[in-house]
Amino acid sequence: MSSLEQLITWLKAHASDGAGERRLPPVDKWNPEYCGLAGFEILRDGTWLHEGTRITREPMVRLFSSILRKDADGETYLVTPVEKVGIRVVDAPFVATDFTVSGEGREQVLTFTTHVDDVAMAGAEHPIRVVRDAETGEPSPYILIRANLEALIDRKTFYRLVDICVHEMHAGRRWFGVWSSGMFFPIIPSDELA
């Protein structure tokens, strides 16, 4: 049996709570030996590849995503109690594909969903950040999903987010941004809007 088959077998045996609910394994508590690269890659659009071939089974992608960990070395790994393998991530390991809004104004709460069914309410534990390309100014928005693992907010979702942005003073400058869980997340300085 290959190490990939062993990993899949282990994941299937440990990926639910017995009632069919998805649970995330405690990868932060596991410290297995590093076993090298395993031929996995996550593209910017959230597509998973193994040795250059797309993994098309969504349940499999969700299983693998449940054992991702980004360590202090900045690298991302698939981690089980018995092995830790390197994985290449082009941008972020997750893609936020939608969000819902509850409440209004400064008290509104934005709840994001990823392509692998993770859910995160934007706030202190799940901040939103925007990185702008130095040459083009193109924004890349992210939300922290869990323990150093972010989701790139996809274009359609970002456009919806921009629709609910407001202008606020933040860190001594006026910003165009969004509120969630009582926190303001700056998107772009107000004076840079065309």
Side-chain angles (χ1 to χ4, degrees), residues 167-179:
H167 295 275
E168 294 281 348
M169 287 301 292
H170 177 77
R173 190 171 184 186
R174 190 164 174 77
W175 284 83
F176 188 64
V178 66
W179 285 93

Side-chain angles (χ1 to χ4, degrees), residues 105-189:
R106 294 179 178 216
E107 301 308 312
Q108 76 184 358
V109 176
L110 308 178
T111 303
F112 288 81
T113 305
T114 72
H115 72 299
V116 291
D117 298 330
D118 282 306
V119 176
M121 290 190 313
E125 292 183 20
H126 303 282
I128 296 169
R129 72 182 182 98
V130 177
V131 176
R132 292 175 64 197
D133 184 280
E135 292 179 19
T136 66
E138 181 78 20
S140 291
Y142 302 89
I143 180 167
L144 182 65
I145 299 300
R146 62 177 185 263
N148 301 324
L149 297 170
E150 291 183 309
L152 174 67
I153 300 171
D154 73 7
R155 188 172 299 272
K156 69 174 173 28
T157 304
F158 184 55
Y159 287 157
R160 286 186 51 230
L161 190 66
V162 167
D163 284 343
I164 61 170
C165 282
V166 295
H167 295 275
E168 294 281 348
M169 287 301 292
H170 177 77
R173 190 171 184 186
R174 190 164 174 77
W175 284 83
F176 188 64
V178 66
W179 285 93
S180 183
S181 303
M183 293 188 68
F184 182 73
F185 297 101
I187 304 294
I188 187 171

Side-chain angles (χ1 to χ4, degrees), residues 4 7 38-42 48-50 55 64 78 87-88:
L4 178 59
L7 181 59
F40 286 97
E41 181 176 14
I42 304 174
W48 280 64
L49 305 177
H50 182 252
I55 300 174
F64 286 137
L78 292 173
I87 180 170
R88 183 174 183 271

